Amino acid sequence: QNNRHKHAGYSIMTTMATFSVWLIAFFGLAQAWIPTFKVDQRGGITRLHGSENGDSAWPTLSSSTSTAAVSQSIGQAGTDGYSVTRQPLSRSNWDPNAAPENEAPLLLEDGSQFSASGGGISIDDEQWWVSKAGSTGKSSLEGQKKTVARPTRKEETEEEELDLFKRTFETLDYPRVLRSLREDHATTMPARNILAGRQPSNRKRTDREKNAYQPFLSNSAQSSRERYRAVQEMDWLLKGRDDESCVVLPSQEYFYRNRKGHKESLIGRGAPMGGNSFSLEPILQAASTGGLVLESPQLMEITNAMGQMQDLQSWGKALTKVTELEFVGLPKLAGSIDFNETLYDVLYNAMDDEGRLSGKTFPTVGRLRTRVKALRGDILQTLEGLVQIASVQSKLALESGGALFSETSGRLVIPLAADSKASTVGIVHDTSRSGKTVYVEPTEIVGPTNELRQAEGELRSEEARIWRYLTQNVLANQRALETSLYAVGQLDLVRARLQLGQSWQGIVPTVKEEGVISLRNARHPVLLLRKLDNIVGSDVNLGANGNQGLVLTGPNSGGKTVILKLLGLMALLSRAGVPVPASPGGDPRVDFFDPILADIGDIQSTTSDLSTFSGHMLVCKQVLENAGENALVLMDELGSGTDPQQGVAIAQAILESLVEANARVAITTHYGPLKNLAAADDRFAVGGMQFVRGRPTYKLLPGTVGESFALAVAERLELPQSVLSRANDLLDSDTRQMGELIQELEDQKLLIEEQASEMEEKKRELGRMEFELKERQVKVEKEQLNIRRKEARKFAKDLEEKERVLEDILSKLKSDPSRRIVAKSWDDIKFVKRDALNEAENVPSVLAQKKKAAKAIEEASAEMVPLSQLSDGLKPDLKEGDAVVICKNGPLFGRDGKFVKSNGKRIEVVVNNMNVAFKLSEVAMPPKNRAPMGHQKNSGSPQGKSGSRAVQKALAQERAAKSNEWDASRKSSAQGDGKVAMRTQANTVDVRGCNLMEAQERIKDKFSMTLMQGRGNPTVYVLHGHGTGGVLKSKVRQWLRHERQLVKQFSPADAADGGDAYTRVELK
């Protein structure tokens, strides 16, 4: 019996072994036939092996295939003659010059899990926000699969009541504005998240965090003003000026230094985002919630974003140093960035330029990498040497033509013939399918390979530790990073608000808390976003002049609902800090409203048994419960959908209740009693939509009651004429007459507006023409100025040449002041002077002035008759002191003088306190009614006050020279008579304030000029003053005692000539 049990057990074991072999074979075939895939961390799918058409690389097994053959196939699955575990040598993996690359660990918890692909972590943004919003973290699709019991009637009503605010946004088309901001203007992920109302979980926040996490819509008037302030500051930066105050910001004066130390200008550019999207929330969530280890791509993205945050911080601090304009809003937002410099340095230095862990920062990693590379090089070198040995070459199996070196489980093997005693060469790791070739790891590389595997394991463990360390550092600063991201998003939204406002030529309104909307030429934002043509603007006023309600009237399809939505959107834009599309005239104002409630369109529902009227009443109930002070209520066709009389009564009662709650309300209506409400109640105003020549203009006319024009609208929509005629007959005569009168009045008003518009256009055209004329005048003046400048430059250049000639002459005089040199130099100077004056007179501008001056002289000369031309009977008997006028051309022309005495054909006259002799033809009696000319500046000068400076200087020198000639002539005659020369300005040199050397130079130059005149008994007066202790005076006189070459004698001047403050010097 025991033998039977043993035999039965043996049979069972044999059967199970056979079954196991077939089962293994089956799975091996399945592995080869069916493609095998892996799912990486990114959700991507990668084929491991198996062909796409299902064909196996294995031989087909028939029913006659033996168990031994199947057993031989186990472990041999693969393609191209290689098994699954054995592959050809990868030179990139064994390159001794390449740094080893290891996969980062998958999870933060220490373990053996590693990333399957080594790729980056990528969590979909939508999934991230879903996980943030829900406590379970399940997606919205999973939530939709749940079976929910149908709510009761009460629950349905409560759900619809809670949708009132969402309904308001949708009916006002506010999501369309948000979509434009999100898709067209916002450039960063945090900004888009703020627009979508997504924020991290609620928690107690610091002041810095409150600035970063503020919602897109403000919750106070002050908050709206701060948003607009930041938008205005961004506009100043981009334009480089403030148009309102005309203040210009110097672009070269203000800059900040980026993280690399480079100077970046503040003016002409916005916040330095660097093109970074700042999409870090999915990365942080993957690490904090998913427990995943961050790898190089994610850490580098965090590092780049932090570097840009550092630049934004520096940019915000630099704005506070601008003095021309005060920057407040932008620095406040930039100051909300919580930058951790230590974390930035750790991440920045952790990786090298190729994104791998830096061996310099982490020496252990560098040492292990060096060890791995060295071992790989040694193993390859040893293996290549072995195959060159004759005994080994004789055993190589090269018939298959495959690679000489293969790799199995990280160990290198070579193909040897199965009958060549391969076991003596090394360890057999694999066998070919035919069994004729074995793959052997030579004994010489077994030890080094073991060392390599150990070094690679140590390297992988060290790198895994560092990746976890870096990830944990990031998570420790997650809150600061999230705060900084949202601060960046707020800065991005400032620029987005400005760009959207500029796209529709928006303005920044005044924001208060008094419930006022007052705008000129306001245009509907959504119509502007749709880029429609000929969008009509309207003047809107709500809450101004004490009214709290606005009743909009007019025809169907006339634009009443557009105005209603316009009011709501303007209030929302004001809370969002977006410039509103309106004209800047007047005092544009959009106050803070909260809540903003709108009932536009029907909410009837067959499932909820709601009719049009009951749906409106449901909304009205919620409006009355929520509306209060600072509320804005917009209701379309209030009281419609039921009996007109009862509907009017309910509508008026609702309106009165809302204004009593101090809310602001605007409605549209066709009901006559509501249209007349403004006349009976001062709290309401009325406005009508313009309707001209059977068509609406979509323009609001404040203060007018708009007719419904139902028949005209029906006719425009091509209702049958027979129906229109019958409807017109059914109208009572008063209603029909009133409609015709209103239509005629509207037509006449339009005509007047067209005429006024034409007049305004002509006025603008005249203004443009006047402006163009002024521009041309300025252009001509600039051209004339350029011509004069060219003349002046040319003349100045010529004068410089003359000055060089004069300097040469003076140099000669100083080196050899003999009378011969002086005389020759005097002739040279006269030539230079005549040449300069000729050039000055030939300047075009001077020629024109000369003509004008000559004409004036001619007119003045016509009134003055010289004494020589008077007949004997008309010649006056002049006595000493009688007034005469000089009529000789020159610097004294037109000057008054006093008769002294007559010397035959000459008379002596006192002019400018000097006695001068004139011919009778050079003196005349003063004309009657003539103003004295003795003190007129430049009288008789051909040049007057105009001409270039160089010309005036040259002519002034000419007049001075002629005046000096008169003085010299007078002194010469006086000295010739043996009289002492009187001190004049022409013979005086002022050396006050000079040291002795400077005084000597001035005195010598004056001596030379005096000697060049060639007059007898030349005299010069030196004005040195008394000074402190008379130092300069004593030194000058001491020097004159030794200057015997030119000085004949000297002495203090007479009291009449200035006394001891002057020294009178007679020259040889």
Side-chain angles (χ1 to χ4, degrees):
Q1 186 176 3
N2 291 334
N3 291 334
R4 284 199 302 269
H5 285 303
K6 291 180 181 180
H7 180 73
Y10 176 78
S11 300
I12 293 172
M13 291 177 62
T14 304
T15 304
M16 291 181 63
T18 304
F19 176 74
S20 299
V21 170
W22 278 104
L23 186 63
I24 293 172
F26 171 76
F27 282 114
L29 290 172
Q31 186 178 24
W33 290 334
I34 302 175
T36 305
F37 303 93
K38 67 175 181 179
V39 181
D40 62 18
Q41 288 173 269
R42 301 177 181 270
I45 299 175
T46 304
R47 180 185 302 274
L48 288 178
H49 59 259
S51 60
E52 296 182 3
N53 57 12
D55 294 335
S56 172
W58 282 15
T60 304
L61 297 181
S62 64
S63 58
S64 61
T65 304
S66 64
T67 304
V70 175
S71 300
Q72 186 180 359
S73 300
I74 298 175
Q76 302 285 335
T79 58
D80 299 328
Y82 294 95
S83 66
V84 174
T85 59
R86 180 176 52 81
Q87 296 296 325
L89 174 65
S90 174
R91 287 288 179 179
S92 60
N93 293 338
W94 285 84
D95 185 1
N97 297 320
E101 294 185 4
N102 295 315
E103 299 168 349
L106 182 61
L107 300 176
L108 272 174
E109 296 180 1
D110 193 7
S112 60
Q113 300 94 337
F114 285 85
S115 169
S117 63
I121 301 169
S122 177
I123 306 297
D124 185 78
D125 296 337
E126 189 66 26
Q127 294 178 1
W128 186 85
W129 282 114
V130 169
S131 66
K132 280 290 185 182
S135 58
T136 61
K138 294 184 178 180
S139 67
S140 56
L141 291 176
E142 293 174 346
Q144 292 176 4
K145 294 177 182 178
K146 294 181 180 180
T147 303
V148 182
R150 177 177 175 81
T152 63
R153 172 64 181 166
K154 181 178 180 181
E155 289 173 342
E156 283 184 346
T157 304
E158 290 176 351
E159 184 178 354
E160 290 177 359
E161 289 172 353
L162 294 175
D163 286 340
L164 177 60
F165 296 98
K166 179 180 178 182
R167 170 178 165 77
T168 296
F169 285 171
E170 291 177 349
T171 56
L172 293 178
D173 297 324
Y174 179 62
R176 177 66 180 84
V177 177
L178 291 180
R179 186 166 73 250
S180 176
L181 280 167
R182 185 172 58 253
E183 297 177 359
D184 302 332
H185 304 291
T187 60
T188 63
M189 184 59 68
R192 298 188 181 103
N193 291 336
I194 294 173
L195 289 170
R198 302 165 179 167
Q199 291 189 3
S201 59
N202 294 329
R203 60 194 180 199
K204 187 176 181 180
R205 290 172 177 155
T206 63
D207 292 339
R208 169 182 286 180
E209 290 176 333
K210 289 178 182 178
N211 290 330
Y213 289 118
Q214 56 183 312
F216 183 66
L217 289 180
S218 66
N219 50 21
S220 67
Q222 176 62 26
S223 187
S224 292
R225 289 191 289 267
E226 290 176 356
R227 284 164 168 77
Y228 275 132
R229 173 73 184 195
V231 169
Q232 286 180 316
E233 292 174 5
M234 185 67 73
D235 188 42
W236 295 345
L237 280 181
L238 295 176
K239 291 182 178 178
R241 67 181 185 277
D242 176 18
D243 294 330
E244 185 175 348
S245 61
C246 299
V247 174
V248 178
L249 297 174
S251 59
Q252 302 299 327
E253 187 171 344
Y254 296 111
F255 59 90
Y256 73 97
R257 291 190 180 275
N258 62 17
R259 59 187 181 278
K260 296 180 180 179
H262 300 157
K263 283 186 177 181
E264 299 286 350
S265 176
L266 285 175
I267 313 304
R269 60 184 69 180
M273 297 292 181
N276 199 315
S277 64
F278 295 91
S279 303
L280 303 186
E281 295 95 337
I283 298 174
L284 297 175
Q285 183 65 14
S288 60
T289 304
L292 301 181
V293 174
L294 301 181
E295 301 180 48
S296 176
Q298 293 77 44
L299 293 175
M300 290 185 69
E301 190 169 349
I302 293 174
T303 305
N304 292 335
M306 291 188 68
Q308 211 63 51
M309 292 174 187
Q310 186 180 21
D311 287 351
L312 286 168
Q313 260 194 348
S314 302
W315 172 81
K317 292 177 182 178
L319 289 177
T320 60
K321 300 178 182 179
V322 178
T323 57
E324 287 80 1
L325 295 169
E326 184 180 8
F327 286 84
V328 179
L330 294 179
K332 182 179 180 181
L333 293 177
S336 301
I337 296 175
D338 192 357
F339 179 75
N340 189 325
E341 188 172 357
T342 302
L343 176 62
Y344 176 73
D345 290 340
V346 168
L347 296 179
Y348 184 81
N349 295 320
M351 288 163 285
D352 57 21
D353 296 338
E354 298 179 4
R356 299 174 306 178
L357 290 178
S358 172
K360 182 178 180 181
T361 304
F362 305 104
T364 302
V365 171
R367 177 177 56 79
L368 289 173
R369 284 177 180 168
T370 303
R371 175 65 175 160
V372 168
K373 289 192 291 184
L375 287 171
R376 286 178 178 175
D378 292 344
I379 292 171
L380 281 177
Q381 186 177 4
T382 301
L383 192 60
E384 289 172 352
L386 283 173
V387 297
Q388 301 299 324
I389 299 175
S391 60
V392 176
Q393 283 185 344
S394 62
K395 299 177 182 180
L396 291 176
L398 303 177
E399 294 81 3
S400 61
L404 180 60
F405 299 153
S406 301
E407 184 179 359
T408 176
S409 301
R411 310 187 77 86
L412 298 183
V413 295
I414 57 176
L416 298 179
D419 57 355
S420 63
K421 297 182 181 181
S423 59
T424 61
V425 178
I427 302 174
V428 177
H429 286 278
D430 201 357
T431 306
S432 67
R433 297 172 187 173
S434 63
K436 295 180 180 180
T437 303
V438 292
Y439 295 91
V440 178
E441 178 185 13
T443 305
E444 289 81 355
I445 65 172
V446 171
T449 302
N450 292 337
E451 293 182 28
L452 174 62
R453 296 284 80 84
Q454 183 180 358
E456 288 176 341
E458 293 177 1
L459 176 61
R460 183 164 52 251
S461 298
E462 180 64 15
E463 289 183 344
R465 185 188 66 79
I466 294 173
W467 288 123
R468 291 190 177 98
Y469 163 77
L470 296 175
T471 303
Q472 290 166 354
N473 273 273
V474 170
L475 291 179
N477 292 273
Q478 181 178 0
R479 180 165 179 168
L481 283 173
E482 289 178 344
T483 301
S484 300
L485 287 174
Y486 275 81
V488 171
Q490 297 292 352
L491 288 171
D492 188 25
L493 283 179
V494 172
R495 186 189 52 79
R497 291 181 176 108
L498 176 62
Q499 287 183 348
L500 180 59
Q502 290 176 338
S503 69
W504 55 40
Q505 298 177 344
I507 60 171
V508 174
T510 302
V511 182
K512 297 182 180 180
E513 293 181 313
E514 300 173 0
V516 175
I517 297 179
S518 179
L519 296 171
R520 290 183 56 189
N521 192 33
R523 303 175 301 280
H524 197 289
V526 175
L527 299 181
L528 293 169
L529 290 176
R530 292 169 58 189
K531 301 186 183 304
L532 300 179
D533 297 330
N534 303 321
I535 298 176
V536 179
S538 296
D539 297 344
V540 293
N541 287 281
L542 175 63
N545 303 322
N547 70 75
Q548 295 176 247
L550 176 63
V551 180
L552 298 171
T553 63
N556 297 96
S557 304
K560 299 188 302 298
T561 305
V562 173
I563 298 297
L564 202 65
K565 292 184 177 182
L566 171 68
L567 291 170
L569 282 174
M570 292 300 179
L572 288 172
L573 291 178
S574 175
R575 288 184 59 180
V578 177
V580 297
S583 297
D587 183 16
R589 181 171 170 183
V590 182
D591 283 358
F592 174 80
F593 292 96
D594 186 27
I596 301 171
L597 306 172
D599 178 24
I600 302 174
D602 295 338
I603 58 171
Q604 59 184 351
S605 172
T606 57
T607 59
S608 303
D609 299 328
L610 290 176
S611 65
T612 299
F613 179 73
S614 60
H616 283 302
M617 290 302 100
L618 180 64
V619 175
C620 289
K621 174 178 176 292
Q622 288 300 304
V623 167
L624 291 172
E625 292 177 356
N626 289 279
E629 190 173 3
N630 292 332
L632 176 63
V633 180
L634 309 168
M635 311 188 82
D636 189 23
E637 303 293 347
L638 181 61
S640 63
T642 188
D643 178 74
Q645 292 184 346
Q646 297 182 32
V648 167
I650 293 176
Q652 185 170 342
I654 292 174
L655 289 176
E656 292 175 351
S657 177
L658 289 172
V659 297
E660 287 173 1
N662 204 24
R664 299 295 181 265
V665 59
I667 67 166
T668 64
T669 187
H670 290 282
Y671 293 149
L674 295 180
K675 293 180 181 180
N676 299 328
L677 186 61
D681 193 336
D682 293 338
R683 295 175 298 177
F684 294 92
V686 68
M689 304 306 298
Q690 192 177 47
F691 193 82
V692 179
R693 297 170 187 156
R695 288 187 172 273
T697 63
Y698 308 105
K699 188 176 184 63
L700 176 64
L701 302 177
T704 64
V705 178
E707 190 64 29
S708 294
F709 295 110
L711 292 178
V713 173
E715 183 178 4
R716 181 168 62 87
L717 297 176
E718 298 180 354
L719 209 66
Q721 189 61 40
S722 58
V723 176
L724 295 174
S725 300
R726 178 56 180 163
N728 192 47
D729 294 339
L730 292 174
L731 285 175
D732 60 87
S733 59
D734 292 341
T735 303
R736 185 166 50 251
Q737 187 177 5
M738 178 63 70
E740 292 173 354
L741 289 174
I742 292 177
Q743 180 64 54
E744 185 179 353
L745 181 63
E746 291 288 346
D747 293 343
Q748 291 178 356
K749 187 175 181 180
L750 177 63
L751 180 62
I752 293 173
E753 289 180 351
E754 289 177 350
Q755 292 176 350
S757 178
E758 290 178 1
M759 293 292 293
E760 187 67 24
E761 181 62 30
K762 290 181 179 179
K763 184 177 179 180
R764 286 194 294 267
E765 183 64 25
L766 287 175
R768 283 194 294 270
M769 293 174 63
E770 183 179 359
F771 179 75
E772 291 175 358
L773 183 62
K774 288 182 178 179
E775 276 191 333
R776 285 197 294 268
Q777 182 177 357
V778 170
K779 184 177 180 181
V780 171
E781 290 177 353
K782 286 183 178 179
E783 291 177 353
Q784 292 177 346
L785 179 62
N786 290 334
I787 293 174
R788 288 196 294 269
R789 286 174 176 171
K790 290 180 181 179
E791 295 172 359
R793 284 194 293 268
K794 183 177 181 300
F795 185 67
K797 185 177 181 180
D798 295 338
L799 285 181
E800 289 176 359
E801 295 179 359
K802 305 299 183 296
E803 288 177 359
R804 285 193 292 270
V805 174
L806 291 175
E807 289 175 357
D808 294 340
I809 295 173
L810 290 176
S811 298
K812 293 178 181 179
L813 288 174
K814 290 178 181 179
S815 60
D816 185 12
S818 61
R819 287 190 175 276
R820 183 177 61 80
I821 296 299
V822 169
K824 184 179 184 305
S825 300
W826 175 242
D827 293 337
D828 293 340
I829 289 174
K830 285 183 176 180
F831 176 78
V832 171
K833 181 178 69 173
R834 280 197 308 271
D835 193 17
L837 289 175
N838 288 335
E839 289 181 2
E841 291 176 354
N842 290 327
V843 175
S845 57
V846 175
L847 292 175
Q849 288 291 85
K850 284 182 65 178
K851 290 181 180 179
K852 185 177 179 181
K855 184 177 180 181
I857 293 173
E858 184 179 355
E859 292 175 354
S861 300
E863 299 180 2
M864 295 186 293
V865 180
L867 296 179
S868 61
Q869 296 181 10
L870 296 176
S871 59
D872 294 339
L874 296 177
K875 285 184 178 180
D877 185 12
L878 296 175
K879 298 180 180 179
E880 186 175 357
D882 287 349
V884 294
V885 179
I886 310 303
C887 59
K888 177 184 177 182
N889 290 336
L892 297 179
F893 176 84
R895 295 190 179 272
D896 294 328
K898 291 185 179 180
F899 177 77
V900 177
K901 63 180 180 179
S902 175
N903 295 326
K905 294 182 179 181
R906 288 180 176 271
I907 63 173
E908 189 173 339
V909 179
V910 177
V911 182
N912 292 344
N913 297 324
M914 295 185 298
N915 291 349
V916 183
F918 292 98
K919 297 179 181 178
L920 294 179
S921 59
E922 296 172 345
V923 181
M925 297 301 296
K928 296 180 180 180
N929 301 324
R930 171 184 174 276
M933 298 180 64
H935 300 286
Q936 291 182 357
K937 189 173 182 180
N938 294 336
S939 177
S941 171
Q943 286 75 23
K945 294 183 180 180
S946 57
S948 65
R949 292 183 178 179
V951 174
Q952 291 181 359
K953 181 179 179 181
L955 296 179
Q957 291 174 350
E958 170 66 5
R959 291 193 297 271
K962 291 184 177 181
S963 179
N964 290 341
E965 289 178 5
W966 282 95
D967 294 338
S969 176
R970 181 190 63 77
K971 289 186 292 180
S972 176
S973 61
Q975 292 169 356
D977 295 336
K979 298 179 181 179
V980 176
M982 180 178 63
R983 185 185 65 81
T984 64
Q985 185 176 0
N987 62 3
T988 303
V989 55
D990 188 355
V991 297
R992 289 175 297 179
C994 300
N995 56 35
L996 179 60
M997 186 175 296
E998 293 172 347
Q1000 289 175 353
E1001 290 296 323
R1002 289 192 181 186
I1003 294 171
K1004 287 181 179 179
D1005 291 342
K1006 191 65 178 178
F1007 288 174
S1008 300
M1009 294 296 294
T1010 303
L1011 291 173
M1012 282 190 294
Q1013 294 179 2
R1015 308 293 182 179
N1017 194 20
T1019 303
V1020 173
Y1021 286 85
V1022 179
L1023 171 57
H1024 42 61
H1026 298 291
T1028 303
V1031 176
L1032 181 61
K1033 175 174 64 177
S1034 60
K1035 288 186 177 182
V1036 168
R1037 290 177 178 176
Q1038 185 177 1
W1039 169 70
L1040 289 174
R1041 288 191 185 94
H1042 301 88
E1043 186 59 45
R1044 295 303 181 185
Q1045 186 177 3
L1046 297 175
V1047 178
K1048 181 177 181 182
Q1049 61 180 4
F1050 68 93
S1051 62
D1054 297 336
D1057 291 329
D1060 197 45
Y1062 292 81
T1063 297
R1064 178 179 177 275
V1065 182
E1066 291 183 22
L1067 303 178
K1068 294 181 179 180

